[in-house]
């Protein structure tokens, strides 16, 4: 189910990018786009069609995104303390372990000779 939804999500994303790139630029960035386009993709009806298609694809993209998150998190265990209940109490208190006794270092019996220069 998740793989099918992921494939649909990717197809919606690709078509959303394509529809956005088909729209006419209103800013005239670098003088590209616009111009003398002729054919069936002209006029107001095309702008309305592309705007509606973009809105529909954006909604479908968001729905598939949320569905993918929901399906992937559905099988996880709860992490809330309230849902898990109280942690089990220890059976008996454990006494601390004392460190082993340390002996003081032995003093040298005679002084060390001076270092040669």
């Amino acid at each position: 189910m998740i793989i099918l939804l992921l494939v649909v999500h990717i197809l919606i994303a690709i078509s959303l990018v394509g529809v956005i790139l088909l729209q006419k630029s209103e800013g005239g960035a670098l003088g590209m786009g616009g111009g003398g386009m002729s054919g069936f993709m002209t006029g107001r009806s095309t702008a309305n069609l592309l705007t509606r298609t973009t809105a529909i694809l954006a909604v479908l993209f968001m729905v598939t995104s949320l569905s993918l998150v929901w399906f992937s998190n559905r099988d996880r265990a709860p992490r809330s303390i309230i849902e898990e209940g109280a942690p089990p109490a220890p059976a008996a208190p454990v006494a601390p372990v004392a460190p082993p006794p340390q002996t003081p270092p032995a003093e040298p019996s005679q002084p060390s000779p001076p270092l040669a220069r």
Side-chain angles (χ1 to χ4, degrees):
M1 179 71 179
I2 291 178
I3 295 175
L4 177 66
L5 192 60
L6 183 63
V7 169
V8 170
H9 183 72
I10 291 172
L11 290 175
I12 289 172
I14 291 171
S15 58
L16 184 62
V17 169
V19 169
I20 289 173
L21 290 176
L22 280 176
Q23 293 180 10
K24 181 179 176 184
S25 171
E26 293 183 12
L30 302 175
M32 297 192 307
M37 289 182 63
S38 62
F40 83 103
M41 296 287 281
T42 58
R44 271 186 198 212
S45 63
T46 304
N48 289 338
L49 175 69
L50 290 177
T51 304
R52 287 182 185 161
T53 306
T54 304
I56 291 170
L57 287 174
V59 168
L60 288 174
F61 183 80
M62 291 302 293
V63 167
T64 56
S65 297
L66 293 174
S67 300
L68 281 170
V69 169
W70 185 75
F71 280 125
S72 67
N73 287 335
R74 185 174 56 168
D75 296 331
R76 291 194 180 181
R79 294 185 179 214
S80 173
I81 295 175
I82 296 170
E83 292 175 3
E84 290 178 359
V94 179
V97 177
Q102 294 182 354
T103 59
E107 303 253 347
S109 58
Q110 34 179 292
S112 62
L115 297 174
R117 290 187 184 195

